[in-house]
């Protein structure tokens, strides 16, 4: 079982792709610390460095062809990851890639 699949099964908050004109939207939420959010945000900035990015104190937006990735933290405890794309399959693939980075950025418990 892949790490992404384990993460989805563990949290059971991975939403199905939802179509809202003209984009497909895929969301994920989790409770984390602000330090983990910062670490994950840095991984995302490095991974998607060729795309236009807007960074705010509590939000990161990455624009790519036909879509948008939005990562935000609320109350320094809850992260929301949202992927919008005009193609449902590409939306799902992008979310899987982001969740793999998310699992990689999480602190390792030994």
């Amino acid at each position: 079982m892949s790490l992404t699949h384990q993460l989805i099964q563990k949290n059971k908050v991975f939403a199905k792709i939802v179509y809202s004109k003209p984009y497909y939207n895929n969301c994920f939420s989790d409770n984390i610390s602000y330090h983990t959010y910062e670490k994950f945000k840095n991984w995302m900035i490095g991974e998607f460095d060729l795309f236009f990015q807007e960074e705010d104190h509590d939000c990161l937006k990455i624009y790519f062809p036909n879509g948008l990735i939005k990562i935000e933290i609320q109350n320094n405890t809850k992260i929301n990851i949202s992927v919008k794309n005009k193609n449902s399959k590409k939306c799902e693939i992008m979310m899987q890639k982001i969740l793999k980075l998310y699992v990689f950025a999480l602190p390792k418990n030994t």
Side-chain angles (χ1 to χ4, degrees), residues 27-30 32 37 40 60 70-74 78-82:
C27 295
F28 173 77
S29 294
D30 197 10
I32 62 167
Y37 164 75
F40 177 60
L60 172 67
K70 185 176 180 183
I71 301 161
E72 60 185 334
I73 190 162
Q74 298 172 341
K78 185 171 182 168
I79 190 171
N80 292 324
I81 302 169
S82 177

Side-chain angles (χ1 to χ4, degrees), residues 38-82:
E38 285 291 322
K39 185 176 178 184
F40 177 60
K41 183 173 79 169
N42 288 337
W43 276 101
M44 290 296 294
I45 289 170
E47 184 69 23
F48 296 99
D49 63 343
L50 297 178
F51 298 108
F52 177 72
Q53 301 175 7
E54 284 184 308
E55 187 176 354
D56 199 0
H57 175 67
D58 56 355
C59 181
L60 172 67
K61 293 180 184 176
I62 302 170
Y63 299 92
F64 59 95
N66 296 323
L68 165 74
I69 300 168
K70 185 176 180 183
I71 301 161
E72 60 185 334
I73 190 162
Q74 298 172 341
N75 300 327
N76 292 338
T77 58
K78 185 171 182 168
I79 190 171
N80 292 324
I81 302 169
S82 177

